[in-house]
Short mmCIF file of all heavy atoms in Angstrom, two decimals:
data_model
loop_
_atom_site.label_atom_id
_atom_site.label_comp_id
_atom_site.label_asym_id
_atom_site.label_seq_id
_atom_site.Cartn_x
_atom_site.Cartn_y
_atom_site.Cartn_z
N ASN A 35 1.39 11.62 14.00
CA ASN A 35 0.62 11.00 15.07
C ASN A 35 -0.69 10.36 14.63
O ASN A 35 -1.34 9.69 15.43
CB ASN A 35 0.33 12.03 16.15
CG ASN A 35 1.59 12.54 16.79
OD1 ASN A 35 2.51 11.78 17.05
ND2 ASN A 35 1.66 13.84 17.03
N ARG A 36 -1.08 10.55 13.38
CA ARG A 36 -2.38 10.02 12.95
C ARG A 36 -2.30 9.07 11.77
O ARG A 36 -3.10 8.14 11.67
CB ARG A 36 -3.31 11.17 12.62
CG ARG A 36 -3.49 12.05 13.84
CD ARG A 36 -4.76 12.75 13.85
NE ARG A 36 -4.87 13.35 15.19
CZ ARG A 36 -5.40 14.49 15.42
NH1 ARG A 36 -5.89 15.18 14.46
NH2 ARG A 36 -5.45 14.96 16.64
N PHE A 37 -1.39 9.30 10.83
CA PHE A 37 -1.34 8.50 9.62
C PHE A 37 0.08 8.05 9.31
O PHE A 37 1.04 8.69 9.71
CB PHE A 37 -1.88 9.29 8.42
CG PHE A 37 -3.33 9.61 8.53
CD1 PHE A 37 -3.74 10.85 9.00
CD2 PHE A 37 -4.29 8.68 8.19
CE1 PHE A 37 -5.08 11.15 9.12
CE2 PHE A 37 -5.63 8.98 8.32
CZ PHE A 37 -6.03 10.21 8.79
N ILE A 38 0.16 6.97 8.54
CA ILE A 38 1.41 6.47 8.00
C ILE A 38 1.27 6.51 6.48
O ILE A 38 0.25 6.05 5.94
CB ILE A 38 1.70 5.03 8.47
CG1 ILE A 38 1.85 5.02 9.99
CG2 ILE A 38 2.93 4.45 7.78
CD1 ILE A 38 1.87 3.63 10.59
N MET A 39 2.25 7.09 5.80
CA MET A 39 2.23 7.14 4.33
C MET A 39 3.26 6.14 3.80
O MET A 39 4.42 6.17 4.19
CB MET A 39 2.58 8.53 3.81
CG MET A 39 2.59 8.61 2.29
SD MET A 39 3.21 10.19 1.66
CE MET A 39 1.87 11.27 2.10
N ARG A 40 2.78 5.28 2.89
CA ARG A 40 3.65 4.26 2.30
C ARG A 40 3.55 4.35 0.78
O ARG A 40 2.52 4.71 0.24
CB ARG A 40 3.21 2.87 2.76
CG ARG A 40 3.10 2.81 4.27
CD ARG A 40 2.42 1.59 4.81
NE ARG A 40 1.14 1.31 4.17
CZ ARG A 40 0.52 0.14 4.25
NH1 ARG A 40 1.05 -0.86 4.93
NH2 ARG A 40 -0.63 -0.05 3.66
N LEU A 41 4.64 4.00 0.13
CA LEU A 41 4.68 3.94 -1.33
C LEU A 41 4.92 2.48 -1.71
O LEU A 41 5.91 1.89 -1.29
CB LEU A 41 5.79 4.82 -1.88
CG LEU A 41 6.03 4.75 -3.39
CD1 LEU A 41 4.82 5.27 -4.16
CD2 LEU A 41 7.28 5.52 -3.77
N PHE A 42 3.99 1.91 -2.47
CA PHE A 42 4.13 0.54 -2.96
C PHE A 42 4.61 0.56 -4.40
O PHE A 42 4.19 1.41 -5.19
CB PHE A 42 2.80 -0.21 -2.88
CG PHE A 42 2.46 -0.67 -1.50
CD1 PHE A 42 1.83 0.18 -0.61
CD2 PHE A 42 2.78 -1.95 -1.08
CE1 PHE A 42 1.51 -0.24 0.68
CE2 PHE A 42 2.48 -2.38 0.19
CZ PHE A 42 1.84 -1.52 1.07
N GLU A 43 5.48 -0.39 -4.73
CA GLU A 43 5.99 -0.58 -6.08
C GLU A 43 5.82 -2.05 -6.43
O GLU A 43 6.39 -2.92 -5.76
CB GLU A 43 7.46 -0.18 -6.15
CG GLU A 43 7.68 1.27 -5.75
CD GLU A 43 9.14 1.65 -5.58
OE1 GLU A 43 9.99 0.76 -5.41
OE2 GLU A 43 9.40 2.86 -5.60
N LEU A 44 5.02 -2.32 -7.46
CA LEU A 44 4.78 -3.70 -7.90
C LEU A 44 5.36 -3.89 -9.29
O LEU A 44 5.07 -3.11 -10.21
CB LEU A 44 3.29 -4.01 -7.94
CG LEU A 44 2.62 -4.36 -6.60
CD1 LEU A 44 2.62 -3.19 -5.64
CD2 LEU A 44 1.19 -4.82 -6.84
N ASP A 45 6.19 -4.91 -9.43
CA ASP A 45 6.76 -5.26 -10.73
C ASP A 45 5.66 -5.79 -11.65
O ASP A 45 4.61 -6.24 -11.17
CB ASP A 45 7.82 -6.35 -10.56
CG ASP A 45 9.04 -5.86 -9.79
OD1 ASP A 45 9.36 -4.66 -9.89
OD2 ASP A 45 9.66 -6.69 -9.10
N PRO A 46 5.88 -5.78 -12.97
CA PRO A 46 4.92 -6.41 -13.87
C PRO A 46 4.63 -7.85 -13.42
O PRO A 46 5.56 -8.60 -13.11
CB PRO A 46 5.62 -6.38 -15.23
CG PRO A 46 6.53 -5.19 -15.14
CD PRO A 46 7.01 -5.20 -13.70
N GLY A 47 3.37 -8.19 -13.30
CA GLY A 47 2.96 -9.51 -12.81
C GLY A 47 2.97 -9.62 -11.30
O GLY A 47 2.54 -10.63 -10.74
N GLY A 48 3.44 -8.59 -10.60
CA GLY A 48 3.51 -8.62 -9.14
C GLY A 48 2.17 -8.31 -8.50
O GLY A 48 1.26 -7.76 -9.13
N HIS A 49 2.05 -8.65 -7.21
CA HIS A 49 0.82 -8.38 -6.48
C HIS A 49 1.06 -8.39 -4.98
O HIS A 49 2.03 -8.99 -4.50
CB HIS A 49 -0.28 -9.39 -6.84
CG HIS A 49 0.14 -10.82 -6.67
ND1 HIS A 49 0.17 -11.46 -5.45
CD2 HIS A 49 0.57 -11.72 -7.57
CE1 HIS A 49 0.58 -12.70 -5.62
NE2 HIS A 49 0.84 -12.88 -6.90
N THR A 50 0.18 -7.73 -4.26
CA THR A 50 0.17 -7.81 -2.80
C THR A 50 -0.52 -9.12 -2.43
O THR A 50 -1.18 -9.74 -3.27
CB THR A 50 -0.59 -6.62 -2.18
OG1 THR A 50 -1.96 -6.68 -2.56
CG2 THR A 50 0.03 -5.28 -2.59
#
Side-chain angles (χ1 to χ4, degrees):
N35 297 320
R36 300 207 170 143
F37 295 97
I38 297 169
M39 179 187 290
R40 308 168 311 163
L41 175 65
F42 282 85
E43 301 170 341
L44 279 66
D45 294 329
H49 54 80
T50 64

